[in-house]
Amino acid sequence: MRSDTVTKGKQQAPHRSLFNALGLTPEEMERPLVGIVSSYNEIVPGHMNLDKIVNAVKQGVAMAGGTPIVFPAIAVCDGIAMGHLGMKYSLVTRDLIADSTEAMAIAHQFDALVMVPNCDKNVPGLLMAAARINVPTIFVSGGPMLAGHVKGKKTSLSSMFEAVGANAAGMITDEDLCEFENKTCPTCGSCSGMYTANSMNCLTEVLGMGLGGNGTIPAVYSARIRLAKQAGMKVMELLEKDIRPRDIMTENAILNALTVDMALGCSTNSMLHLPAIAHEIGMDFEIDFANGISEKTPNLCHLAPAGPTYMEDLDEAGGVYAVMAELNKKGLLHTDCMTVTGKTVGENIAHAVNKDTDVIRPIDNPYTPTGGLAVLKGNLAPDGSVVKRSAVVEEMLVHEGPARVFDCEEDAIDAIKGGKIVAGDVVVIRYEGPKGGPGMREMLNPTSAIAGMGLGSSVALITDGRFSGASRGASIGHVSPEAAVGGPIALVEEGDIIKIDIPNLKLELDVPEEELTKRREAWQPREPKVTTGYLARYAAMVTSGNRGAILEIPGQK
């Protein structure tokens, strides 16, 4: 075992003395050392219950003959970080989480790992770490929040942000806004729609790194505790059979994840995280091929914010396995991929049943014949851009309008809330990409303001930043190359006509090439917004959004 390096032999007597200091017995040192990576903290609602999940995992590991040892991972609450300087620190934590977990796991020579994440960057960061460390590993998340209830309707965090816009437009009262504030987020857990956290927890099931139910069992259900105990026991089986993350997270598993992503209508952020995870297994992930998968993969779910159903509804309908079973009716999955159950994907979903066809549409009656995400290209985004097609209203799938240009999110929000954006406009927010932000902020505030003010069916938003999974409408992000490196989005001027054609995967700036050449020659790079600390180092190393905003040493591939 790997832990023999620190527990066996006379040379390791100093190491054992330190284990003695931890209170470990000789019997515990004889057993495999299993690292439990706990993302528990008291600032993220999706993480406040992880102490209970971790304790259940520890019981499972101990019952199966291992010695569980907990160490931490950080996490940012994107909702609390939204709309201010803090959002620059959200995406960048993905790499901090991966790096620090790699350091802890290898420094202490754990034999196996159980990852306990829940919200946004925490899940992909730990998946990246799992691929790097490559010891037997299993994931168990904290689970989704239950939906809120306001005036007889289910609500989620996107409802809250949109209520702010509705209040600013005089469409709801201050008392109504207060009711939303007090009832929208009623329990602990990752926010209740198909936002980034729940998208990535569901895709962890599809990748084969989590047990069935990992993405959908609500945080407050006792079934979540039972799942955690099962995960703790199962990791010992993975260790015995020497089944490792790179045996599970293969290229075909990544393709399965992208396929189910299309059926579920996941967050556009998955198009940052799947390439980053793929990079860790040595897979060259070109976001273009998402369109090929989307073309043949029907969209089966309209979970909030795309529709009126929530994670608890998906769980009751049969969960992720039921969605996979529907897709497999048309042979859309690689069913021979290994998973942490010790069985293949095909074996896992063989008995899955779709229990509610209003939540999970049957494969022969989808919402749309194509998937929930689309990658758009054109002279405005030569390297690609991403839109959650399933959350775009029909009348905005094709749109043409004048550019309203802003060089930061705050200026755009002021204009939207000040009534300066009108039907037909295309809001452009730039210099918010991975380098330019730095940190590629989410644009939930402007998209929610647009929707809340009744402009969701007439105004588009384009950015080199990114969107929360809670965003809906014609919100096109990850525009690459970004403005900070001289991408075409930096050349857009107020009033330029922008043409959006989502069905034909086009994003075009209707300006003659001769004029664009003149603007390109006149363009000058901007001074970095941040010159010290982690953000400055991140900006120096980060790649474009179309490559997953992965970190590379400048000049190296």
Side-chain angles (χ1 to χ4, degrees):
M1 290 189 297
R2 180 184 293 235
S3 62
D4 289 351
T5 307
V6 293
T7 59
K8 300 291 193 299
K10 292 182 179 179
Q11 194 67 31
Q12 280 66 44
H15 305 71
R16 288 194 297 276
S17 73
L18 294 168
F19 283 115
N20 289 336
L22 290 169
L24 266 64
T25 65
E27 292 82 2
E28 287 174 302
M29 282 185 262
E30 282 294 322
R31 296 174 177 178
L33 301 185
V34 180
I36 316 297
V37 186
S38 171
S39 303
Y40 169 76
N41 63 49
E42 295 182 343
I43 188 63
V44 183
H47 290 225
M48 62 180 285
N49 66 321
L50 294 191
D51 55 341
K52 296 175 177 60
I53 303 296
V54 166
N55 283 336
V57 169
K58 290 174 69 177
Q59 291 179 53
V61 169
M63 283 191 291
T67 298
I69 300 175
V70 179
F71 65 89
I74 64 169
V76 163
C77 176
D78 278 20
I80 295 174
M82 195 70 64
H84 58 86
L85 177 64
M87 181 45 68
K88 293 179 184 288
Y89 285 88
S90 171
L91 178 60
V92 305
T93 63
R94 185 186 70 184
D95 296 275
L96 279 176
I97 291 162
D99 293 348
S100 59
T101 302
E102 173 192 358
M104 287 291 288
I106 294 176
H108 301 103
Q109 293 292 286
F110 287 106
D111 297 299
L113 297 168
V114 183
M115 307 293 198
V116 187
N118 208 25
C119 291
D120 293 24
K121 314 310 166 294
N122 208 240
V123 184
L126 290 178
L127 285 166
M128 291 162 65
R132 286 185 205 170
I133 301 161
N134 203 35
V135 298
T137 301
I138 194 169
F139 278 65
V140 57
S141 78
M145 184 184 291
L146 294 178
H149 292 82
V150 177
K151 300 187 187 304
K153 293 184 178 180
K154 285 185 176 182
T155 60
S156 60
L157 187 64
S158 55
S159 313
M160 184 69 252
F161 276 89
E162 290 178 17
V164 174
N167 178 258
M171 298 168 65
I172 65 172
T173 67
D174 289 351
E175 290 74 18
D176 290 333
L177 183 63
C178 185
E179 184 176 3
F180 271 96
E181 181 179 332
N182 287 304
K183 294 182 178 180
T184 291
C185 297
T187 71
C188 63
S190 48
C191 296
S192 56
M194 187 52 81
Y195 310 146
T196 306
N198 292 326
S199 295
M200 293 309 302
N201 281 321
C202 287
L203 296 184
T204 298
E205 279 190 56
V206 184
L207 285 168
M209 293 298 293
L211 298 174
N214 179 65
T216 59
I217 297 172
V220 295
Y221 284 11
S222 296
R224 175 65 55 180
I225 300 295
R226 295 197 298 272
L227 185 74
K229 291 177 182 176
Q230 291 162 355
M233 291 185 282
K234 185 62 69 173
V235 79
M236 297 306 295
E237 182 182 318
L238 294 172
L239 180 60
E240 181 183 357
K241 294 179 178 179
D242 195 30
I243 299 175
R244 299 170 182 248
R246 286 184 215 157
D247 300 323
I248 295 170
M249 289 193 286
T250 61
E251 290 195 13
N252 282 344
I254 297 284
L255 295 178
N256 280 347
L258 191 53
T259 299
V260 178
D261 186 319
M262 296 297 173
L264 284 171
C266 290
S267 164
T268 51
N269 280 313
S270 62
M271 292 302 291
L272 282 174
H273 301 322
L274 287 177
I277 296 162
H279 177 73
E280 296 294 342
I281 67 166
M283 177 183 177
D284 187 14
F285 188 111
E286 293 289 339
I287 64 169
D288 292 36
F289 65 60
N291 288 333
I293 289 177
S294 179
E295 188 176 340
K296 62 183 180 182
T297 306
N299 178 228
L300 305 181
C301 298
H302 268 190
L303 295 144
T309 53
Y310 295 80
M311 296 305 297
E312 63 205 62
D313 302 314
L314 179 59
D315 188 60
E316 290 293 330
V320 174
Y321 280 6
V323 176
M324 295 173 73
E326 287 289 349
L327 293 172
N328 200 43
K329 290 176 182 178
K330 289 198 173 179
L332 295 175
L333 297 175
H334 298 278
T335 55
D336 57 348
C337 292
M338 179 52 62
T339 73
V340 291
T341 66
K343 299 177 181 178
T344 65
V345 166
E347 291 172 312
N348 286 344
I349 66 174
H351 303 293
V353 176
N354 182 355
K355 301 175 185 177
D356 190 338
T357 55
D358 289 332
V359 177
I360 305 170
R361 287 280 187 94
I363 193 75
D364 56 1
N365 183 32
Y367 283 101
T368 58
T370 53
L373 299 181
V375 175
L376 312 183
K377 282 192 167 184
N379 69 345
L380 188 50
D383 293 338
S385 61
V386 182
V387 64
K388 189 169 182 175
R389 173 164 44 189
S390 60
V392 180
V393 294
E394 184 73 25
E395 53 265 43
M396 289 299 289
L397 289 171
V398 177
H399 180 75
E400 179 177 324
R404 305 298 309 279
V405 184
F406 305 93
D407 287 350
C408 68
E409 177 188 5
E410 289 83 357
D411 289 350
I413 292 171
D414 288 344
I416 295 165
K417 291 186 175 179
K420 297 177 182 177
I421 302 302
V422 299
D425 284 348
V426 178
V427 176
V428 176
I429 305 177
R430 61 191 181 190
Y431 294 100
E432 290 284 8
K435 284 185 181 293
M440 204 178 187
R441 289 194 287 180
E442 286 187 342
M443 302 292 160
L444 179 56
N445 274 347
T447 59
S448 297
I450 288 169
M453 296 177 79
L455 296 170
S457 60
S458 59
V459 170
L461 195 155
I462 295 172
T463 181
D464 52 8
R466 60 193 179 92
F467 294 107
S468 165
S471 293
R472 62 187 175 98
S475 304
I476 301 167
H478 309 192
V479 171
S480 302
E482 63 174 292
V485 297
I489 192 171
L491 310 180
V492 182
E493 294 183 358
E494 188 80 7
D496 286 348
I497 298 299
I498 292 176
K499 296 180 176 180
I500 300 165
D501 187 345
I502 295 173
N504 289 306
L505 311 173
K506 292 289 187 182
L507 181 61
E508 297 282 348
L509 180 61
D510 191 15
V511 173
E513 185 55 41
E514 305 81 45
E515 173 61 21
L516 289 178
T517 299
K518 289 179 184 177
R519 294 182 189 180
R520 192 173 292 112
E521 290 171 352
W523 179 82
Q524 294 293 324
R526 303 217 170 173
E527 289 296 318
K529 294 178 183 176
V530 179
T531 57
T532 60
Y534 177 57
L535 284 181
R537 295 196 301 275
Y538 181 89
M541 298 177 68
V542 72
T543 64
S544 178
N546 70 298
R547 297 189 58 208
I550 59 173
L551 299 187
E552 288 182 340
I553 298 171
Q556 293 188 3
K557 291 286 186 181

